[in-house]
Amino acid sequence: MSDALVQARGLRKCFGDIEAVSGIDVDVRPGEAFGFLGPNGAGKSSAMRMIGCVSPRTAGELQVLGLDPDVDGPRIRARLGVVPQQDNLDTELSVRDNLHVYGRYFGLSRAAVRAKATELLDFAQLTDRASDKVEPLSGGMKRRLTIARSLVNDPELMLLDEPTTGLDPQARHLLWDRLFRLKQQGVTLILTTHYMDEAEQLCDRLVVMDGGLIVAEGSPGDLIARYSSREVLELRFAPGEQHGQRAAVDELAERLEELPDRLLLYTTDGERALSAAHQRGVRPVSSLVRRATLEDVFLRLTGRSLVD
Amino acid sequence: MTALLDPPRATGAALPGWRATLLVVEGLWTWYRRNWRATVISSVLQPLLFLVAFGVGFGTLLDRGGRAQQVIDVPYLVYLAPALLAVGAIQNAAFESTYPVLSAFKWQRNYWGVSATPITPGQLACGQLSWITLRLAGSGAAYLLVISLFGAARGPGIVAALPLAVLCGMAFSAPVVAFAATVENDGAAFNALFRFVVMPMTLFSGTFFPISQLPEPVRPLAWISPLWHGTELTRGAALGVLELGPALGHTAYLAALVIAGVLLARWRFRARLAR
Ligand SMILES: Nc1ncnc2c1ncn2[C@@H]1O[C@H](COP(=O)(O)OP(=O)(O)O)[C@@H](O)[C@H]1O
Ligand SMILES: [Mg+2]
């Protein structure tokens, strides 16, 4: 037995003819923040729901907290904190009542739940909205409440499915800050995202998923080092024109990717590649030298960009 | 910011079925405690309207005329009131078992929240059905008071009619909850249920007149209707004319529907939430 909190081998999930997860191996260690990065439909939520012991697996092995979800689902769920992709707060109840009711579902005493709710309201910065109904809260507030609610049972492992999708940048940063604090306190986090910046910010280790399969695995830095160069030169053209410029810049980069309106040149020195391109008479509408990101890794691995 | 978490100390315990069921009821009660005003009127108002329109208005006419008395040998209001207790239970069961259940799956989605806790889908179904049972009992008790104020109760038998009416309501509720858990679209199917099941059932289950007055070929439809069995029981108990044999038969039929409905509902909840 390993000390992994989650251990999956050949994990599969089918919905009728659709194979959402096609055999993945995953190990999540105590205390780490582990990410599933992938585009919509990659199978992230399906994998999370199996780990969350709500969706039975079609095939493969799965252990969560050392137990088998098929046998011990309720006992495992008692130790998990789940933030689903789609909020399912009771919008007709007050913010505080949402925490109370949910805590009771874990079999906690009323006194324990009351004390916990006060603490969590503070954590989620919702104390002044405690007796308001949930309905009129902003998306960011609802998301924070969902996260607070998932902590009501003091989970050892948190599952966050796209915690910040659809939020404005300010709300996202606030959420990231809360998740950092949890991580510092030793809570193991598993999260899915299709934002590379989120994955880079939060994850110690991640897997890149596409079409139900894991296509790469490692820390964000590892993945970038393995699948991309250090820098990227982006040359933007009027859509359609980029193709004709390919030949001129091809040999300036270790690798070249073509998108509908630009060329991406993977190189250790972006500025030098840019002046070389200018010398060859290439005149892009604009150009940009940047550090390589997970987006580039994903593009390399799948030939598509992550968020369309 | 206070220290949020001491070292994690989740319970790691599954819940026994009865406990989980009670906790689901408690969750629904928390909602009800804040929102009861909207429901209390509608759940007593409808049988009350029937009581006034038919029992008082129409009944006065009947009691004066000669022919009706050959079939019904008590004042019409007294005849009707206990049956309306069963009708109220069926109608409240229909409301409580359709949109609220679909909404908890589809719009409000709070069942999905529960599915991530130690509570299992089967326990959730049992909790929801227990809650509906309490709601029917509560509305029935309120209606019972109204009946007494109208002077339509004839002795203590009407009190025994209350649990029988709740049994009747649940014999309809449990299968309908199972059905609601299966509905994926916006609930248009419920309109058909109200129009083609609840409405005819209300009219032709012996509430307003004995089913012996129905044409022979349609009588079997009344026999399968839980409302007819419920009406026989509530009216029999209220008027003190219930005989043991038929009483057991009606009760067994309703109990069988409840049991089948509970099993179906648990199955449908599991199929929907754990997929
Ligand atoms: N309950 C379901 N029934 C049928 N198909 C589903 C269901 N849930 C997910 N899928 C399908 O499985 C695939 C993976 O979906 P999902 O796991 O939600 O991906 P992601 O979370 O990465 O966007 C998609 O093709 C989706 O349509
Ligand atoms: Mg998803």
Side-chain angles (χ1 to χ4, degrees):
Chain A
M1 271 288 308
S2 73
D3 67 343
L5 290 190
V6 176
Q7 189 173 52
R9 292 291 174 272
L11 184 61
R12 291 197 329 131
K13 180 76 202 186
C14 299
F15 298 102
D17 294 339
I18 301 169
E19 192 170 52
V21 179
S22 320
I24 60 171
D25 297 350
V26 176
D27 289 275
V28 181
R29 299 176 205 119
E32 76 176 337
F34 182 91
F36 286 95
L37 179 68
N40 284 331
K44 304 180 300 293
S45 294
S46 303
M48 289 290 259
R49 286 173 39 76
M50 286 191 281
I51 296 171
C53 304
V54 286
S55 168
R57 61 187 182 269
T58 308
E61 287 166 40
L62 178 62
Q63 290 218 321
V64 181
L65 303 172
L67 301 169
D68 180 346
D70 282 351
V71 180
D72 282 312
R75 284 175 60 202
I76 304 170
R77 291 200 297 272
R79 296 159 65 188
L80 300 181
V82 177
V83 175
Q85 182 170 347
Q86 214 177 332
D87 281 329
N88 53 37
L89 297 162
D90 199 324
T91 54
E92 291 172 352
L93 288 184
S94 72
V95 169
R96 188 187 290 277
D97 277 348
N98 263 277
L99 298 174
H100 281 185
V101 168
Y102 209 70
R104 293 284 290 156
Y105 290 152
F106 287 85
L108 305 174
S109 74
R110 288 201 182 79
V113 164
R114 256 196 306 276
K116 195 75 199 173
T118 303
E119 190 181 323
L120 289 172
L121 286 170
D122 181 33
F123 172 76
Q125 299 179 312
L126 288 170
T127 303
D128 52 343
R129 306 295 299 260
S131 41
D132 293 359
K133 287 211 172 167
V134 167
E135 183 79 66
L137 298 188
S138 72
M141 287 176 176
K142 283 183 181 151
R143 218 55 188 144
R144 293 207 306 274
L145 178 57
T146 303
I147 291 178
R149 192 184 70 167
S150 77
L151 290 167
V152 76
N153 59 327
D154 290 309
E156 293 158 55
L157 173 61
M158 280 193 77
L159 307 176
L160 303 121
D161 198 352
E162 302 198 12
T164 69
T165 297
L167 301 185
D168 59 52
Q170 221 177 342
R172 293 178 74 203
H173 280 280
L174 186 55
L175 267 172
W176 286 349
D177 172 67
R178 300 292 111 169
L179 296 178
F180 270 128
R181 288 177 194 222
L182 290 172
K183 204 178 136 190
Q184 277 168 357
Q185 284 157 0
V187 182
T188 307
L189 306 178
I190 302 181
L191 61 109
T192 76
T193 181
H194 54 231
Y195 297 122
M196 64 218 161
D197 53 345
E198 183 159 284
E200 286 192 62
Q201 285 266 345
L202 291 175
C203 298
D204 302 316
R205 216 154 55 79
L206 55 91
V207 291
V208 179
M209 269 189 94
D210 189 37
L213 288 167
I214 290 177
V215 292
E217 174 173 1
S219 69
D222 277 351
L223 288 171
I224 291 166
R226 203 171 336 141
Y227 294 102
S228 180
S229 56
R230 200 164 58 84
E231 290 190 344
V232 186
L233 168 62
E234 289 196 12
L235 301 174
R236 289 177 189 251
F237 299 92
E241 262 175 39
Q242 80 288 353
H243 192 70
Q245 305 290 332
R246 242 190 114 120
V249 295
D250 203 10
E251 63 189 31
L252 299 178
E254 295 158 28
R255 203 164 54 78
L256 186 128
E257 289 281 355
E258 184 181 325
L259 295 181
D261 64 339
R262 68 194 114 149
L263 296 173
L264 304 182
L265 280 69
Y266 291 88
T267 169
T268 38
D269 189 341
E271 291 297 342
R272 219 171 74 196
L274 180 58
S275 41
H278 281 150
Q279 271 165 24
R280 294 177 180 214
V282 177
R283 295 282 173 269
V285 178
S286 69
S287 63
L288 165 75
V289 175
R290 60 171 173 80
R291 201 171 61 87
T293 69
L294 287 170
E295 175 87 46
D296 300 300
V297 172
F298 190 78
L299 197 59
R300 165 82 185 274
L301 289 169
T302 70
R304 293 179 290 118
S305 57
L306 206 46
V307 190
D308 341 82
Chain B
M1 170 66 210
T2 58
L4 174 69
L5 293 171
D6 316 325
R9 53 183 154 79
T11 62
L15 298 168
W18 62 268
R19 182 93 208 280
T21 303
L22 281 183
L23 291 172
V24 173
V25 169
E26 185 183 309
L28 290 161
W29 163 249
T30 305
W31 179 87
Y32 189 72
R33 213 175 41 187
R34 311 255 188 260
N35 299 281
W36 61 275
R37 282 174 199 82
T39 67
V40 78
I41 302 292
S42 67
S43 55
V44 184
L45 190 67
Q46 190 148 5
L48 182 63
L49 286 178
F50 274 124
L51 190 70
V52 173
F54 286 94
V56 179
F58 185 60
T60 322
L61 212 65
L62 271 190
D63 293 339
R64 242 181 263 143
R67 278 191 64 203
Q69 256 125 33
Q70 291 161 15
V71 186
I72 302 168
D73 54 8
V74 292
Y76 189 66
L77 187 64
V78 174
Y79 175 82
L80 184 65
L84 287 180
L85 193 59
V87 168
I90 289 281
Q91 287 187 332
N92 284 326
F95 284 118
E96 291 291 317
S97 311
T98 48
Y99 288 103
V101 172
L102 180 61
S103 170
F105 279 114
K106 197 179 157 76
W107 298 304
Q108 194 79 2
R109 295 179 64 83
N110 28 17
Y111 284 165
W112 297 94
V114 179
S115 75
T117 72
I119 292 172
T120 65
Q123 292 170 338
L124 177 59
C126 288
Q128 180 70 56
L129 287 169
S130 304
W131 169 249
I132 295 173
T133 309
L134 291 177
R135 289 276 287 113
L136 298 189
S139 309
Y143 176 68
L144 215 56
L145 274 179
V146 175
I147 292 180
S148 318
L149 293 180
F150 271 80
R154 182 192 256 199
I158 194 86
V159 176
L162 177 59
L164 296 169
V166 173
L167 174 68
C168 169
M170 290 315 293
F172 187 58
S173 164
V176 172
V177 165
F179 171 66
T182 311
V183 170
E184 299 274 355
N185 60 22
D186 58 2
F190 295 152
N191 287 336
L193 180 80
F194 285 111
R195 232 172 268 168
F196 301 117
V197 180
V198 178
M199 191 63 179
M201 186 157 73
T202 306
L203 291 175
F204 300 114
S205 293
T207 308
F208 301 101
F209 54 89
I211 64 165
S212 59
Q213 304 302 105
L214 285 174
E216 195 92 46
V218 288
R219 253 176 254 170
L221 285 179
W223 296 338
I224 59 167
S225 151
L227 182 53
W228 177 65
H229 296 274
T231 303
E232 290 294 303
L233 287 170
T234 51
R235 181 175 286 146
L239 302 182
V241 297
L242 202 54
E243 283 166 36
L244 187 63
L248 287 179
H250 296 307
T251 308
Y253 180 78
L254 295 176
L257 278 182
V258 171
I259 291 167
V262 170
L263 293 176
L264 282 174
R266 290 174 60 100
W267 170 53
R268 293 320 303 165
F269 270 56
R270 221 173 293 129
R272 186 144 183 185
L273 292 172
R275 69 178 164 198

